[in-house]
Structures are given as C-alpha cells and as structure tokens.
Amino acid sequence: MRENNLKINFNPGPAALPYVVLQEASEAILNYNNTGLSILSIPHRGKLFTDILEESKQLVKELCGIGDDYEVLWMQGGGRMQFCMVPMNFLSQGQIAAYVDSGYWSADAIAHANYYGDVKVLSSSQQDNYRHLPAWPSGIPAGTAYLHFTTNNTIYGTQWKDIPSCTVPLIADMSSDIFSMRRKYTNCDLFYAVAQKNIGPAGATLVVVKKDLLHKVNPGLPPMLSYAGHAKAGSVLNTPPVFAIYTSLLTLRWTKEKGIDNIESENKTKASLLYEEIERNDLFVCNVHEADRSTMNVCFGAANKTLEKKFIDYCEQRNITGIEGHRSVGAFRVSLYNAITVADVLHLVAVMQEFENLNKS
Ligand SMILES: *Cc1c(COP(=O)(O)O)cnc(C)c1O
C-alpha cells in the first residue's frame, strides 16, 4: 500500500482521480467551504452552485484555448446520450450524417445515429480490427450535416494526435483524452467528454459547442433533448449532478495548476515507458500500429495467452488494479489518464520485469 492506502488504479473509467481532488471532495461532503452545508445538499440554483458552474466553464475555456464564441454545457446521460443528441439536433431530412469509424465508441455513435436518418461512414479501420486509425476522409459528400469522430479509441488504443480542419461542422467525442495534450480545439464545432476519465466522477458530461452551431439545432425538440435548450437554461434545465460537477471543478483547477504542457509531456513519458517495456519484454506484445498508439490507453496482450490471467493476478498482488482489456477484446489495457503519475508507470514496468524473471523458459 502507498502512503494514501490506495491501489495503483489503471481502470479505464470511472478512473483514478488526483488524490488531492479526492481529499477536497471528501471535505466538501462534510462541510463545503465552511458554509455549514454539505456539497451534497446545496441548492442548484443558489449562488454557491452558480459560482461553481461559472468557474468550471471559465476553466474549460482556458484549458481548451477557446473564446466566448463557444458555449460550455454540463449535461447528463453520458456518451450514449451524446450519440443520440448529435444526430437529433443536427441531422435533418435530406442530409447525411458523416462518421469516421475508428473503434468501439465510434461504431456505437454510428449505431445510435442510424435511428435518426441517413448515415455515411466515410472511413473505417474495422477490417483490421481497429489496430490502426482509418485514413482521414479526403472528401465530404454534398449535403453532409456534420462529421463525427472519436479522438481517442479507449478500447483499441489508438489516438488522433491532431484535429484536422473540416469544411462541415466537426464534432468530436473526446471522452478519453480531453485535457491530455495541447490541441486545436477550435477546429471542432462541438466536442464532448464524459467526466469519468480525465475530468471527474461519472454522472456529468461536458459539452462544448460553438454558438453558431446552436442556431442550426433542429426545431421542435423538447429543451432537455436540445443543445439550445440546455444553453438557454445555463446547464440548470433540471437538477444537475451537483457533486459530480463540483468534483470536476476540483480536477479542472488541478489541471490548470499543473498546466497542459506539463501534463502533455508527462503523458508522453508515461506512455513511452510502458510501450518501450512491452517492446523489450518478450512476454508481451502490442499489435497497435506504432504511429497511431494512444498515450491514454495502452492496449496489449501476452505472447502466451495462458499467462494473461496469471499476470493480472500477479499485478493484483503487487497493488496494481484495473489492467484487464475491455470485455469485447480481452488481454490488457492500461489507462494512463492525467491523474496517473510517472511513478505509477515505473512501478508497473518493474512488475512486468519481475513477472518476466518468474516466467523465464
Ligand atoms: C468511456 C467512453 C464513453 C462512455 O460512454 P457512456 O455512455 O458514458 O458509458 C464514450 N465515448 C468514449 C470515447 C469513451 O471512452
């Protein structure tokens, strides 16, 4: 056990949060900022929460380098709700919704869009089991309402490092790598991220949308299902997940204090340490194409499948948890979100080397 009694937690989400955030969040449950109130029991339309909302929105803008031409919204319903709301709001009759299919989550976004209208997949790496990114679409068909893609493929371990500019509104699911690196967020007209990876606890979803795009929202939607409705109500259309948003604010403050540049360089160091060990250590293999490898989710396997469960058990004995691959692909996935430290990764690498020595043939 470490000083803080917590395991090294490589879970994909809900994922590890910075320890100081957990401490501050716990204190706020007992007595929020000495107000004599628990954060769990403050009114969502009162000044205490309005201040939390405002500060969080401001920090999101700063961290993404975006201006007042964007609206920051806190919503609920997770990734799947966004998979529904994007086509519901922006796809109309006679138009096409264009998607890039780079893995499980893009495929699920496509499946959801199919409920609403004509969907066209412009490129996909599904045939190669998503071991690499698909080509970026070279042309956008006429009548395309928007192009949707997933910046980081949490389950297959690939990541778009750059956000290309696009001739139609570009919409990105950034759930598993928002705030992990310096990025051209302004190339997106709408991006969203569930909180439970780099932001906070499950229950809150961050949506950032260009005000221009809000004018294109399909009419006739009930406010709860309309981005314009949420924007108009300032993210308090109904009772929001106050505690999840507050804890997210604590992480946003931590992120700002650390600085995106430092976070990016640490994330690169963490990922390199792990990929290099996988390459060096004969017990492990990584089939993801090198150029496309994610800094957030490192997906790999054991060269000898019978050692997979043994390695997971060995890690548990050595205080490491959460390295199982997604149920759809198996093997290992180590999630290196912002709260994971270089020391955490060094510990894992040392454990991989111990395991190598124990299993020498
Ligand atoms: C985790 C994740 C989601 C989660 O969606 P939920 O519906 O909230 O479970 C969506 N997209 C991506 C890319 C993810 O990594």
Side-chain angles (χ1 to χ4, degrees):
M1 288 287 166
R2 296 186 290 173
E3 240 173 291
N4 62 25
N5 280 334
L6 292 180
K7 291 181 178 174
I8 297 179
N9 181 355
F10 292 116
N11 266 304
L17 290 170
Y19 193 67
V20 288
V21 167
L22 300 181
Q23 281 175 318
E24 287 169 6
S26 324
E27 284 159 18
I29 287 182
L30 298 176
N31 188 351
Y32 173 58
N33 274 358
N34 288 319
T35 52
L37 293 171
S38 165
I39 188 73
L40 301 181
S41 316
I42 61 166
H44 62 287
R45 296 183 200 280
K47 182 172 163 40
L48 290 178
F49 186 65
T50 307
D51 289 349
I52 290 170
L53 264 185
E54 275 320 301
E55 187 186 343
S56 71
K57 291 178 179 184
Q58 205 43 52
L59 279 173
V60 168
K61 285 185 180 174
E62 262 181 63
L63 292 169
C64 297
I66 56 172
D68 290 335
D69 48 337
Y70 283 84
E71 192 78 55
V72 179
L73 307 173
W74 286 107
M75 295 180 55
Q76 296 169 71
R80 267 79 166 202
M81 189 59 151
Q82 297 307 308
F83 298 169
C84 297
M85 281 187 65
V86 166
M88 204 188 291
N89 280 257
F90 302 118
L91 177 60
S92 40
Q93 194 117 60
Q95 289 184 314
I96 293 164
Y99 283 75
V100 175
D101 173 26
S102 54
Y104 182 96
W105 294 110
S106 352
D108 205 32
I110 292 162
H112 281 79
N114 273 316
Y115 284 89
Y116 297 95
D118 289 333
V119 175
K120 197 160 184 157
V121 178
L122 300 188
S123 69
S124 171
S125 49
Q126 196 254 329
Q127 279 199 321
D128 291 329
N129 278 323
Y130 300 118
R131 277 193 300 266
H132 55 84
L133 292 171
W136 189 257
S138 51
I140 307 285
T144 297
Y146 62 82
L147 176 65
H148 179 283
F149 79 116
T150 312
T151 49
N152 182 66
N153 302 290
T154 328
I155 289 171
Y156 292 93
T158 61
Q159 183 179 30
W160 300 94
K161 308 284 186 329
D162 296 309
I163 301 175
S165 57
C166 189
T167 52
V168 295
L170 185 62
I171 298 184
D173 177 356
M174 297 197 186
S175 291
S176 53
D177 72 347
I178 194 165
F179 308 134
S180 71
M181 63 169 91
R182 205 160 265 291
R183 252 203 174 134
K184 214 161 175 307
Y185 289 92
T186 49
N187 276 351
C188 293
D189 298 84
L190 186 154
F191 53 95
Y192 58 90
V194 299
Q196 65 263 26
K197 279 109 191 218
N198 261 341
I199 309 179
T205 304
L206 182 65
V207 177
V208 181
V209 54
K210 218 166 186 174
K211 286 177 180 162
D212 281 350
L213 193 62
L214 287 176
H215 300 309
K216 295 190 186 158
V217 164
N218 285 330
L221 292 170
M224 268 308 278
L225 298 175
S226 153
Y227 290 113
H230 283 272
K232 194 170 165 217
S235 301
V236 283
L237 198 49
N238 73 325
T239 312
V242 169
F243 182 63
I245 294 172
Y246 175 65
T247 309
S248 298
L249 169 62
L250 296 175
T251 316
L252 291 168
R253 285 181 188 155
W254 175 89
T255 306
K256 183 184 167 182
E257 199 176 299
K258 210 160 164 158
I260 294 286
D261 285 336
N262 290 327
I263 286 177
E264 173 171 347
S265 85
E266 264 186 36
N267 284 338
K268 280 187 184 154
T269 304
K270 281 152 40 185
S272 309
L273 284 167
L274 185 50
Y275 284 119
E276 276 163 24
E277 176 60 18
I278 295 166
E279 296 298 330
R280 189 207 59 78
N281 192 323
D282 288 340
L283 294 189
F284 300 102
V285 280
C286 174
N287 292 320
V288 180
H289 290 200
E290 208 171 328
D292 297 339
R293 287 178 181 176
S294 167
T295 55
M296 291 283 98
N297 308 96
V298 177
C299 298
F300 61 110
N304 171 356
K305 286 273 160 205
T306 61
L307 288 182
E308 272 172 9
K309 169 133 193 354
K310 215 172 148 190
F311 181 61
I312 289 168
D313 292 344
Y314 188 70
C315 280
E316 290 288 343
Q317 285 172 33
R318 300 288 281 107
N319 210 29
I320 291 170
T321 199
I323 65 157
E324 295 88 349
H326 186 262
R327 56 196 145 80
S328 64
V329 293
F332 313 125
R333 167 177 48 180
V334 171
S335 297
L336 303 177
Y337 301 124
N338 294 349
I340 297 292
T341 64
V342 173
D344 295 339
V345 179
L346 287 172
H347 178 66
L348 174 63
V349 166
V351 168
M352 290 164 80
Q353 292 170 357
E354 288 168 21
F355 192 70
E356 179 188 31
N357 289 329
L358 291 170
N359 289 281
K360 276 229 162 80
S361 44

